[in-house]
Each structure stands twice: as structure tokens, then as C-alpha cells.
């Protein structure tokens, strides 16, 4: 992904291993004809120069998402720069209130303040906004959607319905967790869930990914690490998630998992607690999830349920000690689940432990948003 590292960094270890550059925005002529259609919706991508914004374009191309036009929107600083997408050149435009004239679907990933400022403007102009920030997630009446989990939350919202709407993309950690937990919840009803996350640099954006790579080289060369994004050494280290800590001792990231799970499952009685940790991994999150069920659920049945679940792949080979890793799921759309085992601290089959990995930029952000957009068609 060209925007995530400087050109002279492309040969470095992390760029080669974690980013796995591939030609994302070029396609064959036949594929362009499939995507570019006169009767398809008009699109706008807000925050197109960021890590998730670039991934929006990648997923749109990978999925042959139909569109008649697409606006590339970013800050004034990026306006005027050229961007190539599906063999066409586009000029990045400055985001303004007028940007949404004639737009059917607007994909937002430019931070909460931008979403709060321009999301309602886009809706007022008739666009359906899919917002990747936390700005509207907990607002009553705003659907918070994982398409494999609760598509019914956005029922009735379609392109061409004559009015705008806003749909929130959940937090990346919530998406990755609930992709695995929900199929089991449907079968046995989760009463309590304990989550420990191991979150990648990508969750903090392209600059954080670049800093992790820079720090790694600096530490290996015996130099003091550059600490601009996280204010402490990240390479060869881990620390509590950098989100602000609240008065109850939880940080904002942890409380997102708590509150978003209750909203998405439409169950305010489900008990959720979380500890979120930032680890020196480039672009995929891992999560240890402990589940307590109302009804018994044995590990073999759970494994079968997960194998059949949409968007989930099971990697659970005890004999060879092979389980999900961030590296294996990087640039992938599916969430991987393994370490499926009975919780021996609970009686009977009322508890399970699982380990989940998912690409934070793909399913944790851009891919989920594009899936939501597909439901609008």
C-alpha cells in the first residue's frame, strides 16, 4: 500500500512482511466495465489518503463494487494531488459542504471530528453515510452494523430511497471479536465475555505504522527510538492501549468493546469486560476471548459452528501447535479463530476460550464498511 510507507522504505523488513504490497488499484478493462456503470450509485471517499481510505479503494476494486462516479476527498493539504484508481486518474478534492452534492454513498474515515462536522451535511444532501469513526456509534437511532451479525439493524435503508441516512461501522476490536463470538452466542447465549486484545499499529493509522518500522530500525542500530505517535518505545515492547483512561479505570477502547457489543447484540444484560494492549505488530489485531454461556456448548460443537460461520476460518491444529497469527490474516477479509477449548474454571460445558485474529484495516474497518454499502444497493 503505497501511502503507508515512503518509497525508499519499500524494501525494509516490515513493508515486505506485513504490508505485502500488491497492485490494488489497477484492473483489467473487463473489470472496469463491471464496476463503472451509468445506473450505479455515485460514491465519495472521505479521508482517501489515510490507511483506511486507501483500503476503501482496494476493497471497492476487489469486490467490483458498482459506481457511476467517485469523488476522492481529503484535507486541504492533500487537495490537488493525483490518485490512480482502476486505470483512471483522479484529482483529490478538498472536503467541503458542497462535496456531497449528487452523492449517493459517502464512505467516511477521516476521524470523529470530521465525521461530526460533515456526516450530517452529507445526510442532509441525500447521501447514505457509512462512517468508520466513533462519532455516532452509540447514538440512538444510528445503526451499528456488522453485516454477518446484525444486518437487520439497517433494514429499510437503501440507495435511492429519497433521503439520506447514517450507518456506523463498529470499532475494529469489536468487529473482530463478534465475528467469532456471535455464532456461538446464537447457539448458547453468551452471559459474560472477557476480552484481552493485542492490537496492531494500523489501528493508530499510517503514521503509527511508519513509526513502528522506523523505531525497529533505530533500536537495531543502537539509536534512541523516535517517539512521536505513542510517546514511548513501541518496537520490541508492548503497553496499555493509548486511548484515554476514564474515571472507572477502563480506557475508551475497552469501553467501546463493552458498549458496542451490547448495542450490536441488542442485549444490555450481557456482561463484557476488556483489557486492550498495543503490541508491535503492523496491521492485524489478535484477541483472547473467554465466554460464559447460559446453555451448555462443548468445544467440538463450537468448532463445527465456527467452521460453518460466514467470514470465519478455523485454524485450530493442536498436534502441530498451529493457531491464528496476525501475519496469516494480514490482507485477508476473513477472521481466523483457534485455541477453541473448554474453560476448565467453569463447571460442565458452560465456558469456552477462543483466540481470534483479524486484519484491522480490512474486516476491522474498510471491508466491513464496503459490505454495509453493498447492502444499500
Amino acid at each position: 500500500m503505497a501511502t503507508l510507507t515512503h518509497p525508499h522504505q519499500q524494501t525494509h523488513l516490515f513493508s515486505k512482511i506485513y504490508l505485502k504490497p500488491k497492485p490494488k488499484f489497477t484492473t483489467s478493462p473487463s473489470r472496469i466495465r463491471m464496476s463503472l456503470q451509468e445506473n450505479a450509485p455515485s460514491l465519495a471517499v472521505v479521508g482517501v489518503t489515510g490507511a483506511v481510505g486507501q483500503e476503501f479503494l482496494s476493497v471497492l476494486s476487489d469486490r467490483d463494487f458498482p459506481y457511476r462516479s467517485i469523488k476522492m476527498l481529503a484535507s486541504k493539504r492533500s487537495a490537488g494531488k493525483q490518485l490512480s484508481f482502476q486505470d483512471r486518474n483522479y484529482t483529490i478534492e478538498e472536503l467541503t459542504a458542497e462535496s456531497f452534492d449528487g452523492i449517493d454513498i459517502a464512505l467516511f474515515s477521516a476521524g470523529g471530528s470530521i465525521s461530526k462536522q460533515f456526516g450530517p451535511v452529507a445526510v442532509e444532501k441525500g447521501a447514505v453515510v457509512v462512517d468508520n469513526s466513533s462519532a455516532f456509534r452509540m447514538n440512538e437511532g444510528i445503526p451499528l452494523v456488522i453485516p454477518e451479525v446484525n444486518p437487520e439493524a439497517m433494514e429499510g435503508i437503501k440507495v435511492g430511497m429519497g433521503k439520506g441516512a447514517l450507518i456506523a461501522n463498529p470499532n475494529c476490536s469489536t468487529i473482530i471479536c463478534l465475528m467469532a463470538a456471535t455464532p456461538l452466542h446464537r447457539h448458547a447465549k453468551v452471559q459474560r465475555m472477557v476480552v484481552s486484545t493485542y492490537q496492531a499499529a494500523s489501528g493508530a493509522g499510517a503514521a503509527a505504522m511508519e513509526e513502528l518500522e522506523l523505531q525497529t530500525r533505530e533500536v537495531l542500530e543502537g539509536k534512541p527510538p523516535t517517539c512521536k505517535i505513542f510517546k514511548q518505545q513501541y518496537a520490541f515492547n508492548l503497553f496499555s492501549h493509548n486511548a484515554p483512561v476514564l474515571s472507572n479505570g477502563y480506557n475508551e477502547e475497552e469501553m467501546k468493546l463493552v458498549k458496542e457489543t451490547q448495542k450490536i447484540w441488542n442485549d444490555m444484560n450481557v456482561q463484557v469486560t476488556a483489557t486492550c494492549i498495543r503490541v508491535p505488530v503492523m496491521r492485524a489485531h489478535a484477541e483472547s476471548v473467554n465466554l460464559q454461556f447460559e446453555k451448555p456448548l462443548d468445544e467440538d460443537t463450537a468448532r463445527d459452528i465456527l467452521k460453518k460461520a460466514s467470514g470465519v476460518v478455523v485454524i485450530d491444529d493442536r498436534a502441530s501447535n498451529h493457531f491464528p497469527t496476525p501475519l496469516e490474516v494480514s490482507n485477508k477479509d476473513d477472521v481466523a479463530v483457534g485455541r477453541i477449548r473448554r474453560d476448565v474454571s467453569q463447571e460442565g460445558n458452560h465456558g469456552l476460550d477462543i483466540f481470534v485474529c483479524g486484519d484491522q484495516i480490512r474486516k476491522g474497518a474498510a471491508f466491513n464498511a464496503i459490505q454495509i454499502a453493498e447492502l444499500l444497493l
Side-chain angles (χ1 to χ4, degrees):
M1 189 181 299
T3 59
L4 298 186
T5 54
H6 297 301
H8 69 273
Q9 294 176 330
Q10 288 298 314
T11 58
H12 291 141
L13 177 66
F14 283 98
S15 296
K16 288 195 287 187
I17 292 179
Y18 287 97
L19 301 185
K20 297 180 182 178
K22 58 183 179 179
K24 289 180 180 291
F25 307 141
T26 57
T27 52
S28 66
S30 61
R31 189 160 176 187
I32 291 172
R33 284 198 294 273
M34 289 171 66
S35 299
L36 199 56
Q37 302 173 12
E38 285 185 14
N39 60 348
S42 55
L43 308 181
V45 178
V46 179
V48 72
T49 57
V52 175
Q54 288 286 288
E55 204 71 23
F56 279 152
L57 298 183
S58 175
V59 179
L60 287 168
S61 185
D62 290 346
R63 305 277 291 182
D64 280 322
F65 191 94
Y67 63 94
R68 71 173 181 270
S69 64
I70 184 166
K71 276 188 181 181
M72 308 296 185
L73 302 172
S75 66
K76 187 175 183 178
R77 186 176 64 252
S78 298
K81 293 179 180 177
Q82 296 296 302
L83 186 151
S84 178
F85 175 61
Q86 292 194 328
D87 289 341
R88 290 172 176 261
N89 290 321
Y90 293 85
T91 300
I92 297 173
E93 301 175 37
E94 180 183 357
L95 174 63
T96 67
E98 287 69 44
S99 298
F100 303 102
D101 292 339
I103 295 297
D104 295 313
I105 300 173
L107 304 169
F108 273 68
S109 188
S113 60
I114 294 294
S115 291
K116 287 177 182 177
Q117 182 180 354
F118 289 100
V121 173
V123 171
E124 184 68 24
K125 289 178 179 282
V128 179
V129 172
V130 183
D131 180 43
N132 193 56
S133 81
S134 62
F136 304 103
R137 287 175 188 155
M138 298 312 299
N139 288 20
E140 192 172 345
I142 300 292
L144 183 65
V145 177
I146 305 171
E148 295 90 344
V149 174
N150 64 330
E152 69 281 355
M154 55 178 288
E155 190 175 358
I157 303 176
K158 295 285 183 181
V159 167
M161 63 181 181
K163 60 179 181 178
L166 199 148
I167 301 166
N169 215 28
N171 187 44
C172 48
S173 298
T174 306
I175 293 173
I176 292 164
C177 177
L178 295 192
M179 283 294 294
T182 300
L184 306 178
H185 174 58
R186 287 173 178 155
H187 185 89
K189 188 169 174 50
V190 173
Q191 292 181 314
R192 184 170 186 261
M193 182 167 70
V194 181
V195 186
S196 298
T197 72
Y198 314 91
Q199 296 184 223
S202 57
M209 297 171 78
E210 290 183 13
E211 184 164 294
L212 174 56
E213 182 175 348
L214 174 62
Q215 280 194 13
T216 302
R217 287 188 279 108
E218 289 172 334
V219 172
L220 290 173
E221 292 168 3
K223 298 175 182 177
T226 300
C227 301
K228 293 180 179 178
I229 305 298
F230 294 116
K231 312 304 179 187
Q232 59 184 308
Q233 182 175 322
Y234 190 16
F236 306 101
N237 193 22
L238 57 82
F239 44 81
S240 181
H241 193 282
N242 49 294
V245 178
L246 307 172
S247 60
N248 64 0
Y250 286 73
N251 62 43
E252 288 183 358
E253 187 79 1
E254 292 158 352
M255 290 310 298
K256 287 174 186 177
L257 256 168
V258 173
K259 294 177 180 179
E260 291 178 21
T261 297
Q262 292 173 335
K263 179 172 179 175
I264 291 166
W265 279 356
N266 193 26
D267 183 359
M268 297 308 294
N269 293 319
V270 65
Q271 301 298 303
V272 181
T273 185
T275 301
C276 295
I277 304 296
R278 188 73 77 182
V279 296
V281 169
M282 209 39 102
R283 62 170 290 158
H285 291 351
E287 305 183 21
S288 169
V289 184
N290 174 267
L291 299 163
Q292 182 178 330
F293 300 103
E294 181 181 287
K295 303 171 188 174
L297 176 61
D298 65 82
E299 62 182 44
D300 291 331
T301 302
R303 196 175 288 106
D304 289 340
I305 290 169
L306 290 168
K307 284 178 179 177
K308 296 172 184 174
S310 177
V312 174
V313 60
V314 173
I315 304 175
D316 199 39
D317 187 347
R318 296 177 182 178
S320 62
N321 205 8
H322 181 208
F323 304 105
T325 67
L327 208 54
E328 285 179 284
V329 299
S330 291
N331 290 286
K332 304 285 177 55
D333 294 330
D334 287 341
V335 168
V337 188
R339 298 300 316 279
I340 304 161
R341 63 203 189 276
R342 184 177 78 84
D343 176 359
V344 297
S345 73
Q346 298 188 51
E347 291 187 8
N349 288 309
H350 284 270
L352 283 175
D353 286 298
I354 60 175
F355 186 68
V356 189
C357 285
D359 187 307
Q360 180 274 327
I361 307 178
R362 296 284 293 192
K363 182 54 184 174
F367 179 62
N368 197 77
I370 303 304
Q371 286 180 297
I372 291 171
E374 288 173 342
L375 294 176
L376 298 172
L377 302 179

